[in-house]
Amino acid sequence: MAAEAEQQHQLLSTAVHDTMPGKYVRPESQRPRLDLVVSDARIPVVDLASPDRAAVVSAVGDACRTHGFFQVVNHGIDAALIASVMEVGREFFRLPAEEKAKLYSDDPAKKIRLSTSFNVRKETVHNWRDYLRLHCYPLHQFVPDWPSNPPSFNCTLANIFKREIIGTYCTEVRELGFRLYEAISESLGLEGGYMRETLGEQEQHMAVNYYPQCPEPELTYGLPAHTDPNALTILLMDDQVAGLQVLNDGKWIAVNPQPGALVINIGDQIQALSNGKYRSVWHRAVVNSDRERMSVASFLCPCNSVELGPAKKLITDDSPAVYRNYTYDEYYKKFWSRNLDQEHCLELFRT
């Protein structure tokens, strides 16, 4: 019982916070400076239903080169499914504290877990976030271990509601990711199947992020500046509340939700495979005092054992390899051994 009480205490979503606990307060030099954020900038938007394939490929390549982030519209994932996924997430975080405590873990290696902040075992200052981490490929391997509460997370084959929502979303996001790999590969002058084949039998996991109302949002982060260690991230944003910000030309710009859009960000592994031509950029999540916010991030990750590095076709005398070869297992362990906001992990793999 004592351990369960401690787990409940760790989670932000088990209470309303009228004052800011000291363990979330950043030193003054590390605070988000929300007054300096560019609020009216636009990140690129790519219409995947355009009949002009060459234009789509060109737009994806330009976005990867200049921003490392872009939004996709007409992506093929049904709006009703997207709304249902968000509602399932909200239901989960409304569960009683004792229910959520059953899933709590601060072990980064655990594939199904509810946790808080980012890596509480290493951090000196925590982040204003709870999250549910779900591994979701292959589905049949992980679904039995997913939460059984709320009922929409029940994972038996008989639960059609479950399969239609989270399971279908995972499958469709994966297919969208593979379509984007093809466009990214072609935009680099590579064969369309290059990224998917090189990354191997990819793992996939999901983070359902919950950012409660925060009494003093200017003192903390939902997540501090970081890059994603995987290959590609597909983010379902709360369409009512902004919070994602991207570093572009030395300025933090707000990513404003666009109805029906999904946000795509290039991970470290595509930066490496592109030999640094495409950017895995710094991004962060901020919080606010008015409303809670949710997002659902889906991560496509290389097979742990495949060897990664710049595509041979992109290495020339004028453009030598920027990064050495390595396995994703090596990279991911290095990423988790550090603080989230340290130097870009890829810097440790330069030639």
Side-chain angles (χ1 to χ4, degrees):
M1 290 297 292
E4 186 170 297
E6 174 62 23
Q7 290 160 3
Q8 292 177 28
H9 180 68
Q10 290 271 20
L11 291 167
L12 287 164
S13 56
T14 58
V16 175
H17 302 272
D18 297 319
T19 58
M20 177 71 100
K23 63 184 178 180
Y24 293 94
V25 176
R26 293 265 164 184
E28 190 165 353
S29 62
Q30 298 176 16
R31 293 174 187 173
R33 299 294 302 275
L34 299 174
D35 56 317
L36 299 181
V37 173
V38 180
S39 60
D40 57 354
R42 283 178 61 85
I43 67 168
V45 177
V46 179
D47 183 352
L48 295 183
S50 168
D52 189 341
R53 170 70 179 173
V56 171
V57 170
S58 177
V60 167
D62 288 346
C64 292
R65 189 178 304 106
T66 61
H67 286 72
F69 265 76
F70 55 99
Q71 299 193 60
V72 292
V73 294
N74 296 318
H75 42 66
I77 301 180
D78 187 73
L81 174 61
I82 285 174
S84 295
V85 168
M86 293 294 278
E87 185 53 35
V88 169
R90 291 188 184 96
E91 285 180 29
F92 177 82
F93 283 104
R94 291 186 196 121
L95 286 172
E98 59 271 16
E99 283 293 320
K100 288 186 286 195
K102 296 174 184 176
L103 284 167
Y104 182 84
S105 174
D106 61 9
D107 179 3
K110 194 168 182 182
K111 293 183 182 296
I112 312 292
R113 70 185 188 278
L114 173 64
S115 198
T116 192
S117 190
F118 175 70
N119 188 354
V120 292
R121 292 183 177 184
K122 289 185 62 64
E123 297 164 347
T124 54
V125 182
H126 294 334
N127 305 298
W128 200 260
R129 172 185 82 137
D130 288 349
Y131 64 97
L132 176 65
R133 173 80 68 173
L134 300 173
H135 275 240
C136 37
Y137 184 83
L139 271 175
H140 67 81
Q141 180 177 333
F142 293 111
V143 159
D145 296 321
W146 283 4
S148 57
N149 209 354
S152 49
F153 258 118
N154 191 322
C155 311
T156 65
L157 292 178
N159 193 320
I160 303 302
F161 181 55
K162 165 68 200 81
R163 290 184 65 82
E164 285 182 348
I165 297 181
I166 304 299
T168 299
Y169 182 75
C170 290
T171 300
E172 294 195 10
V173 159
R174 188 176 183 86
E175 289 305 312
L176 172 60
F178 290 161
R179 287 165 55 203
L180 292 168
Y181 280 152
E182 186 173 359
I184 292 168
S185 297
E186 291 176 11
S187 72
L188 286 163
L190 304 170
E191 293 294 324
Y194 180 83
M195 290 284 174
R196 181 173 179 177
E197 292 166 10
T198 300
L199 294 166
E201 186 69 8
Q202 292 174 71
E203 293 193 7
Q204 180 181 347
H205 59 267
M206 170 189 287
V208 184
N209 300 306
Y210 178 77
Y211 305 97
Q213 289 175 258
C214 178
E216 297 183 86
E218 69 278 3
L219 302 183
T220 192
Y221 292 101
L223 277 175
H226 65 284
T227 66
D228 287 358
N230 52 297
L232 194 70
T233 302
I234 299 174
L235 181 69
L236 169 55
M237 291 177 63
D238 191 320
D239 63 6
Q240 300 297 315
V241 190
L244 174 65
Q245 297 176 353
V246 177
L247 190 63
N248 185 257
D249 289 333
K251 296 180 180 179
W252 286 103
I253 63 174
V255 179
N256 297 309
Q258 178 160 324
L262 294 170
V263 177
I264 311 301
N265 80 272
I266 299 306
D268 295 354
Q269 305 317 313
I270 288 183
Q271 178 168 324
L273 291 174
S274 72
N275 202 28
K277 296 180 186 299
Y278 291 172
R279 301 192 299 151
S280 174
V281 300
W282 294 94
H283 54 286
R284 66 187 189 181
V286 297
V287 292
N288 70 84
S289 58
D290 300 321
R291 299 181 66 175
E292 66 183 13
R293 186 171 74 88
M294 261 194 54
S295 68
V296 180
S298 296
F299 305 93
L300 292 181
C301 308
C303 174
N304 277 334
S305 60
V306 298
E307 187 172 74
L308 301 169
K312 288 184 172 60
K313 190 174 179 179
L314 302 179
I315 301 172
T316 65
D317 291 341
D318 294 330
S319 181
V322 177
Y323 307 105
R324 67 172 176 84
N325 288 0
Y326 54 86
T327 64
Y328 188 59
D329 183 60
E330 179 188 0
Y331 192 91
Y332 200 63
K333 286 176 179 174
K334 180 66 71 175
F335 181 86
W336 274 96
S337 71
R338 308 154 61 252
N339 289 326
L340 188 61
D341 53 359
Q342 281 183 256
E343 67 174 342
H344 201 308
C345 192
L346 267 178
E347 292 298 310
L348 305 176
F349 293 82
R350 280 189 173 271
T351 51

